Amino acid sequence: MDWFTQVEALRRGGMPLADAVYSKERLVRAEAARHPDLTPRQERVLSRDPEPLVRALIAMRPGLDPDLADALSYDPDAHVLRAVAARLDLTDGQRARLACSEDAVVQSLIGRADAAAWLDGLPFAPEPAEGRKGLFR
């Protein structure tokens, strides 16, 4: 069964959500991340998915467990960090971690317009500082 057939089956209720969470197909896991009946355990599994799209979709879920949102604020992918930065329930610690991001959109989302404008003005994306490679690359 191809990924599209699996996604359609999940949407119609013909595929168990648990199977979709562990699917080899990234787009099936992404659809599972959007599913309203996702359990907290399944959210945790998908928050560690190798695909940034899946992690970003988990970061956008309303009512996300604060511990998962906190873990996702350490994510190396800018798209995931953007999804976390767009949350209305950011803690001070999450905001401080996101302030270290070298992504202009993240800076803008957390209200740092000056930093975002400066990053946007660079002719190329900055390389991460040597001490932060573990967090952002």
Side-chain angles (χ1 to χ4, degrees):
M1 192 173 355
D2 70 346
W3 68 267
F4 185 74
T5 306
Q6 292 178 51
V7 166
E8 287 300 310
L10 178 61
R11 287 180 179 170
R12 287 189 316 271
M15 177 182 200
L17 186 55
D19 291 350
V21 168
Y22 292 101
S23 174
K24 291 181 181 178
E25 298 290 341
R26 67 186 182 96
L27 294 175
V28 175
R29 297 190 313 273
E31 185 64 26
R34 297 178 53 211
H35 201 282
D37 297 332
L38 204 60
T39 67
R41 185 184 189 305
Q42 291 167 333
E43 282 181 344
R44 278 193 307 279
V45 168
L46 292 174
S47 74
R48 295 184 204 105
D49 195 272
E51 178 61 40
L53 169 65
V54 174
R55 298 190 311 270
L57 288 168
I58 291 295
M60 290 190 285
R61 289 182 67 83
L64 183 66
D65 180 309
D67 290 337
L68 280 184
D70 197 53
L72 289 167
S73 71
Y74 286 99
D75 200 279
D77 188 84
H79 295 94
V80 178
L81 294 179
R82 290 172 181 179
V84 173
R87 296 187 65 81
L88 299 175
D89 57 354
L90 285 178
T91 66
D92 290 341
Q94 292 164 353
R95 192 174 305 281
R97 272 188 296 286
L98 293 169
C100 295
S101 174
E102 295 174 346
D103 183 77
V105 175
V106 170
Q107 294 296 325
S108 179
L109 285 167
I110 62 171
R112 293 173 39 117
D114 291 345
W118 185 82
L119 286 166
D120 273 338
L122 293 176
F124 52 85
E127 288 295 317
E130 193 64 36
R132 292 192 303 241
K133 276 192 178 174
L135 279 178
F136 297 105
R137 294 283 180 210

